[in-house]
Amino acid sequence: MCPSTDPNAGEGSFAANVLRDLLQHIAIQNSKNTGQVRPGHYLFEVSHAWTAGPMMYLVYRTPPSDITWGLVRDTTRSLIDPGPWNDTDDPALYYYLLDLEEGWPGNSSLQPGDDPEVIRWSGWPHEDLIERVGDLPESYRQAPPAVPTVAAASEPSPTTEPRRYGNPI
């Protein structure tokens, strides 16, 4: 186990670091994609984000959708391998690619009679989640991050894209 993913080490500092990195990645990608929605690269408007121990929570919208989405993840569990994240993985990048971009719900819309305050959660685990936007504490509100510097936003992409699934062997 990677020491930084040990839930007893640092009282959730790993989850906080992953969430910080995920928010930064979202800000960089949003700045690249503003005004040009294209397949595989979408906008994510984060309204609330927080951690509790090893758990990470993100509440967001995906224009043009008017639905509020939520993502919950136990950061001690890898999305791509059984067990914890290892030292060579970038959990924030995997959460962005697999949870946000790959399943982008921006084409979905509220239907007549749908409650716009309901958060539609994905991820794991699903117990004891806040169900309505109005019930989220103000302390969870996410201020829009500073627009990344031109140098950070224009960093070259990795030459190989990380795998998006576990090794079937």
Side-chain angles (χ1 to χ4, degrees):
M1 174 186 279
C2 172
S4 60
T5 62
D6 181 352
N8 299 319
E11 293 293 314
S13 63
F14 179 74
N17 290 337
V18 170
L19 180 59
R20 181 200 64 228
D21 292 348
L22 176 59
L23 292 170
Q24 183 66 25
H25 193 73
I26 289 169
I28 289 169
Q29 292 303 317
N30 281 352
S31 70
K32 290 179 182 179
N33 299 324
T34 302
Q36 55 176 339
V37 176
R38 59 190 198 275
H41 300 278
Y42 303 107
L43 298 177
F44 300 94
E45 297 175 348
V46 177
S47 64
H48 296 80
W50 71 98
T51 61
M55 303 303 297
M56 173 181 75
Y57 304 87
L58 190 73
V59 176
Y60 61 97
R61 288 194 177 200
T62 57
S65 178
D66 52 358
I67 297 174
T68 301
W69 305 97
L71 173 66
V72 59
R73 285 290 183 196
D74 178 347
T75 61
T76 61
R77 298 174 55 149
S78 172
L79 290 177
I80 56 173
D81 289 316
W85 292 102
N86 67 47
D87 289 330
T88 61
D89 289 329
D90 180 355
L93 178 59
Y94 284 108
Y95 291 130
Y96 182 82
L97 292 173
L98 298 174
D99 285 325
L100 299 179
E101 271 202 354
E102 198 168 88
W104 185 74
N107 292 326
S108 304
S109 294
L110 290 172
Q111 300 302 309
D114 285 351
D115 185 348
E117 282 287 305
V118 171
I119 303 169
R120 280 116 178 122
W121 289 97
S122 65
W124 183 89
H126 280 230
E127 5 354 283
D128 301 322
L129 295 174
I130 298 171
E131 295 178 12
R132 300 176 58 75
V133 174
D135 294 337
L136 292 167
E138 190 61 30
S139 62
Y140 294 167
R141 183 162 300 282
Q142 176 65 37
V147 176
T149 64
V150 173
S154 64
E155 287 179 7
S157 299
T159 55
T160 57
E161 188 170 309
R163 60 191 165 126
R164 294 184 182 222
Y165 51 86
N167 188 347
I169 298 177

